[in-house]
Amino acid sequence: MSEPLAPDMFDELCPSALSPIRFGDKWAGMIIRCLEHGPRRFSELRIPLRGITAKVLTQSLRGLERDGLVSRTAYDEAVQRVEYELTPLGRSLLGPMAVACAWAEKHWEELLDAREAYETPVSGFGRAG
């Protein structure tokens, strides 16, 4: 069994949250990182992904499974147990994700400045959403 996932695995100021480079949906990259060291149950994934709803986590996991990045294994036991694990294809994303995170970390200040400038009203007019 793998070590438990840390509740603070993804800090609010984590570069992955700021990175404009996305791997799947908003949560996919973080789910992939949670599965990096072995299979996890749904309830385990919810610990570091505390901002995600059960519905959105289910949708993200299904999308990752559909794309061949994650496998789902249901165990036929007294209490049904389901585990999610990276496939070899999903594992192959860990390297590119590390590069993207390093890039976001290196350009952290520039990214924050750009977002702040974008959200600041120009000549008394705010940006239309």
Side-chain angles (χ1 to χ4, degrees):
M1 179 58 80
S2 303
E3 291 290 317
L5 293 171
D8 60 351
M9 185 174 172
F10 299 109
D11 188 322
E12 284 182 30
L13 300 177
C14 176
S16 63
L18 187 62
S19 177
I21 302 165
R22 295 269 189 233
F23 295 89
D25 63 33
K26 174 182 176 178
W27 298 98
M30 289 183 270
I31 293 169
I32 289 168
R33 291 290 307 275
C34 288
L35 298 173
E36 182 174 4
H37 299 294
R40 298 286 178 177
R41 296 176 73 168
F42 188 90
S43 59
E44 289 180 281
L45 295 172
R46 299 245 3 233
I47 294 169
L49 302 173
R50 59 193 169 278
I52 193 170
T53 64
K55 178 182 177 182
V56 172
L57 179 55
T58 298
Q59 290 170 339
S60 294
L61 285 164
R62 285 182 183 160
L64 290 167
E65 187 178 6
R66 177 200 66 225
D67 292 341
L69 304 174
V70 168
S71 65
R72 178 184 185 274
T73 304
Y75 295 92
D76 191 21
E77 298 173 346
V79 175
Q80 187 178 7
R81 180 171 58 102
V82 176
E83 289 184 340
Y84 297 90
E85 184 174 15
L86 288 178
T87 63
L89 183 61
R91 193 158 287 289
S92 74
L93 271 178
L94 293 171
M97 285 176 55
V99 170
C101 284
W103 178 88
E105 211 168 314
K106 180 178 179 181
H107 296 283
W108 182 262
E109 292 299 323
E110 295 165 86
L111 290 164
L112 286 175
D113 291 346
R115 288 188 181 185
E116 186 176 305
Y118 182 83
E119 293 171 2
T120 302
V122 180
S123 302
F125 297 98
R127 296 209 185 266

